[in-house]
Every structure is written in structure tokens, then in C-alpha cells.
Amino acid sequence: MCDQTFLAATFGPCDSCGKASPLMNIYVKNEPINYCSFCVEMMACQGLQSGETLTSLKKESENLKKKLEEERGKLTDVELHQVAEKVEAVAALSIKTRRVLKGHGNKVLCVDWCKDKRRVVSSSQDGKIIVWDAFTLNKEHGVTLPCTWVMACAYAPSGCAVACGGLDNKCSVVPLSLDRNENLAAKKKSVAMHTNYVSGCTFTSSDMQLLTSSGDGTCALWDVESGQLLQSFHGHTADVLSLDLAPSETGNTFVSGGCDMKANVWDMRSGQNIQSFDSHVSDINCVKYYPSGDAFASASDDATCRFYDLRADREVAVYQKDSIVFGASSVDFSLSGRLLFAGYNDYTINVWDVLKGNRISILFGHENRVSRVRVSPDGTALCSASWDNTLRIWA
Amino acid sequence: MSSKLHSSNNINHARRTVQQLRIEASIERIKVSKASADLMNYCTEHTRNDPLLVGIPASDNPFKDKKPCIIL
């Protein structure tokens, strides 16, 4: 296998062999060095002669993994659903489709709410981004991008711009103008550059920084104004399919999930992978933080959704049923965190009781896979995007 | 692809894995009972503000259609 594709922020003469090539910017004993990928490997080999062998490293990693399991096991004195027996069961929900947003010409892949709780932006396989007013069904803006499969879209916190990315390997920011005649596509600005498709994007606390996840196995933090790479996050060994930022009160971390079946929690400032969870048995399609920031949920192709607590550092619930055999593509929590909405490839959305672990109800309506579910910022409605070319608002 | 480069890739990967596991093994953890209790408390505290869970009157919810007045 060729050496991994990596995020190369610089191109130039290697510090070691002098050849001009994409450089890996790494730190050795706190000193920055810029080597090409070949020289990095050679350097790694040399370090080995001091006694480590591949087998000794593998043995140590096995021992550490066992130790990790033991430590986590010691603290498992009770299961979440047992503690939750004291809580009242959820009353029957009266959630129905209230709006159907039609207008995309092909599969809708992603949706995001604006902070004003009424606008949504959606992106589609047809290469279009549409900004809708969910109350009136009015299409406020439409942007056509030069690529198809726009897999990720996000609304800026100010509501003045949207970010989108996909098969073009880039994530671009489009400022939204009040002038309906203006050609928004012309003002599109490329911010992120990856070496493979962009699967997810989100603005951080302001319009100035953008966090992206990509099929090249990395996540990256970008400055929107200059397009500069501020931090990159390496650790996944396969495509990263989803990411979610921690709710603002809890600080600078985010969680990502990917095709390597792992969900990783990262520190945004240092780029360090703080925690890792690998209980899924297939690709993780979506990760989402619990409203308090102490836990997160994931949806996977193995037909389960799982709930992980960050302070206990382990999985605390699995949401599955023998009758559910299709992969889950997306999850989101209701405002209080009691309900988990999960969209599946069998065209349904299941509503799970987060604490007790049982399924409360099923939402039917879409005529093809549900690709994304998002709860509005004030919790009044759920928006779902589907491969049947429509979005539905449920309330 | 020379075998030396291939094995050095493995070594690099193994070393990174070991370092990562060392970091993960050393973090502070709390008991699941305490973590679950905190999650439950968060839920119960915020339950009454959750429109999808407890439902808010149709007049307050912009998505629900308001019932038409019937004058007998």
C-alpha cells in the first residue's frame, strides 16, 4: 500500500533530502521539521535500532489495549438503563410531518438549521444548495456548484453565510446576500482543501473558523478569511464520515466518526486525539454530542446507534432491535437529550428513549433513505433530508 | 514498493498506536453510576423545555397548524 494520503500544507524542498515535494510538517522534540514523506519513514526506521522491534511494539499495544479495557470495566458498576428505571417513561409522542420541502432535483444529502430557528440550508447530489424558510416553504437562495454530491453543508452562526463541500475535495463558504438577483455562486470562496471528498463541515463559534472532515482520513480546522490551515487532526485509519463540535459551554473539543469503525474525540487546540471508542462493527455514519457535552451518540451501518459517556470513557447504551437490519445514517438529540432521533436506510426515523434504551416510536413518510436528521436550535421541530429528493419538517 | 519502506510504515504505525494508547490509558475516569446519574439529571431538568418531548400548545408552535375557530 502506498503511504497514506496526508494533508500537506506546504510544498517545497525537504529539509533532509532537498527534493521538492509535499512536506509533512511534524515536530520532533518540540522542534518543527519539514520532511517529505519518504524521509519521515527513513527517520522512523533509524529510531528503531535503539531496541524496539515491530513485535515488541505490537505486544505493548496489545497490553495497553487490555489495560484500557480493564480500567473501563472497573468503573462499570451499573448500566444506564438500570439507573434510568426510576425515571418516568416517555408519554406517547404526537410528532407528524408538518411540511414537505420539495425542490431538489436529486438526493438530498445534508441539512442544517440556522440559529434563527426557521431557515434551513440543504445540499443535494444535483450540485445545488438551497436555503429555505421552513415556516413558509419559501426558497430564499439557491446556489449551483460545479460539482455533484455536495455531501456537507452548514449554516454560519451569524446566518449570513453557508459552507458546503463534497466531491470537489473542497469546502467553500458562500455569503448570503439579501439581493435576490445577485449570483451567489460567483462570491463563493474556497476555504478548505483536502485530498479526498469532504464529508462533513461545521463552523466553530464564529463565522471565522471552519472545521471539516474528509475521505482522506483527516479532519482540519481552517481560517475562513485567509483559507489557512490552523490545525489538522490525524488518527483515523480510513475515511472520516462525520464530525460534531462540543456544545459551547464545555470547551474546545469535537468528535469524529469514520469507516475505521472508531469514534475519536479531539482537542481543537493541540490536535491531539484525547479519547477513542471502537465498539461499532461497521462504518460510523454520524456522531452527535449530547446537549450537556458529556456524552455523544453515533449511528452506524451495523444497524445500531450507540451512546458513549465521555467522563466514564465507555459505551453506556446500544439502541438496536432484531427487526432493524438497515444501517443508521444520522442521529440527533431532542433539546433535553431524552429523545434520540435516528434516520435509517429503510426510509424510517426511529425515536429512541436515550435513558431507558427502548424505541418510543417510528416516523414514516420518506420514500427513500433518510440521509440526515437535525433538530432545530430551539427544539421545536425535526428536519429530515432524504434520497427521495425532499426534506420533511416534523413537529 | 520496497519491503523496507513497507515495514517502516508498519513500525511507524505501531509506534503511533502505542503512544496513543498510552495517552488514552492514563485519562481520569468516573464510575458509570455517577455518569448515568448526571445524564438523567440533565434530562429531567430540561424535560419541561423540550417541545418535541412534552409538546407545546399549537399556538406557540409555528409549525403546527392552528385550529380554525368554530363559531356555533
Side-chain angles (χ1 to χ4, degrees), chain A residues 15-33:
Chain A
D15 285 350
S16 148
C17 66
K19 276 193 291 209
S21 52
L23 301 177
M24 293 179 117
N25 314 107
I26 58 177
Y27 286 78
V28 176
K29 295 195 189 5
N30 291 330
E31 288 290 306
I33 64 171

Side-chain angles (χ1 to χ4, degrees), chain A residues 1 38 41 44-45 47-48 52 54 57 60-61 64-65 68 71-72 75-78 80 83-84 87 90 93 98-99 113 134-135 237 272-276 290-292 307 309 311-314 334-339 341 355 378-381 393 395, chain B residues 1-2 4-56 60-65:
Chain A
M1 208 196 124
F38 185 84
E41 300 297 359
C45 267
L48 249 201
E52 294 169 318
L54 188 57
L57 281 174
E60 195 179 348
S61 87
L64 281 170
K65 277 192 197 144
L68 208 54
E71 293 289 318
R72 283 174 172 169
L75 296 163
T76 310
D77 43 356
V78 75
L80 174 62
V83 174
V87 177
V90 173
L93 302 171
R98 305 290 174 176
R99 302 278 193 279
W113 286 89
F135 292 179
T237 51
Q272 180 67 47
N273 176 1
I274 328 174
Q275 285 170 279
S276 181
Y290 186 75
S292 70
F307 191 41
D309 187 292
R311 295 179 307 155
D313 188 38
R314 55 168 292 125
S334 68
L335 198 66
S336 64
R338 184 68 193 272
L339 301 176
F341 295 96
L355 301 177
D378 60 352
T380 45
I393 308 275
Chain B
M1 181 99 208
S2 78
K4 184 173 191 191
L5 216 50
H6 179 71
S7 59
S8 72
N9 236 346
N10 280 345
I11 290 157
N12 224 17
H13 177 71
R15 186 184 290 130
R16 266 186 249 140
T17 314
V18 166
Q19 275 170 340
Q20 182 58 35
L21 285 170
R22 277 196 202 129
I23 294 169
E24 285 176 30
S26 59
I27 65 174
E28 295 276 310
R29 290 180 195 85
I30 65 172
K31 288 198 176 184
V32 175
S33 53
K34 166 110 181 36
S36 309
D38 288 346
L39 290 170
M40 246 173 58
N41 285 341
Y42 187 91
C43 273
T44 37
E45 261 170 61
H46 290 84
T47 294
R48 74 192 88 107
N49 301 332
D50 189 343
L52 288 167
L53 185 57
V54 298
I56 53 177
D60 290 343
N61 190 334
F63 293 106
K64 287 193 178 156
D65 298 314

